[in-house]
Amino acid sequence: LKAMACEQGVLVIGAEVTFSEFMASAHAATQPLLLQAVSEVAHHTVRNRTTFGGTIAWANPMGALLLALAMLDATVVTTRRRLPSADCVAGVHRNSLAADEIIVALEIPLPPAARRFAFHKTTARRSGGKALSSMAVALGPEDGGMRLLRIGVVGLQDRAWVSDWHA
């Protein structure tokens, strides 16, 4: 639950890994959008205690992590099943997990090296404030040679909204 590893083009992050542990790891460089998103979460003292699994289970509709995971097509692995990260949120602070189901890990496909990302969080305060909304953009190649523009937003509804355009 505390491990991180790259396996066959996928970054696996244990549910008990904190945001600070991820940020300090060599794996952070493989997921630039995820790094940008968790870097925007509160203050470093909060990131030292906030875990990936706990954040998913909390299902905060403004959550930077949930937006990044939806943008990256992440999979949540539980004690019972594997499901897309976007399907873990059932509403505001309501997850779709069964009472006896525990998040074990995240699986996040490594993006193509040429793909570029941007992340922006809007808060009422300058630093460390609670998010009012967040937006992420991904631009770059996709399998099959097509180009992808993906835009994601949280703060509009009770879960992340993500839309793709292909050229």
Side-chain angles (χ1 to χ4, degrees):
L1 293 175
K2 272 298 241 190
M4 288 180 275
C6 278
E7 301 171 355
Q8 300 174 354
V10 174
L11 175 61
V12 179
I13 301 175
E16 290 184 7
V17 172
T18 67
F19 288 1
S20 292
E21 289 168 338
F22 169 74
M23 291 168 62
S25 76
H27 298 294
T30 69
Q31 293 289 351
L33 178 61
L34 187 59
L35 177 60
Q36 289 176 46
V38 299
S39 297
E40 289 286 333
V41 172
H43 191 264
H44 72 276
T45 55
V46 174
R47 292 189 298 268
N48 287 342
R49 298 182 60 105
T50 303
T51 64
F52 281 84
T55 301
I56 294 166
W58 180 241
N60 178 356
M62 306 295 189
L65 176 65
L66 295 177
L67 174 57
L69 295 176
M71 290 284 293
L72 296 167
D73 294 323
T75 299
V76 175
V77 180
T78 74
T79 51
R80 301 170 107 193
R81 59 190 167 143
R82 299 165 39 98
L83 66 159
S85 63
D87 292 350
C88 285
V89 179
V92 177
H93 297 294
R94 286 190 357 245
N95 64 52
S96 62
L97 305 176
D100 63 344
E101 191 172 15
I102 297 170
I103 297 170
V104 176
L106 296 170
E107 296 175 343
I108 309 166
L110 299 179
R115 186 165 295 163
R116 298 294 175 249
F117 298 95
F119 181 87
H120 179 73
K121 172 182 163 182
T122 304
T123 64
R125 289 188 290 166
R126 242 187 135 150
S127 175
K130 189 173 184 176
L132 300 175
S133 66
S134 295
M135 179 178 180
V137 176
L139 176 66
E142 190 174 37
D143 291 339
M146 296 185 72
R147 292 196 52 84
L148 167 73
L149 171 62
R150 175 175 275 186
I151 297 175
V153 179
V154 290
L156 300 176
Q157 54 190 20
D158 62 358
R159 63 200 70 195
W161 174 86
V162 176
S163 187
D164 292 342
W165 291 272
H166 303 273

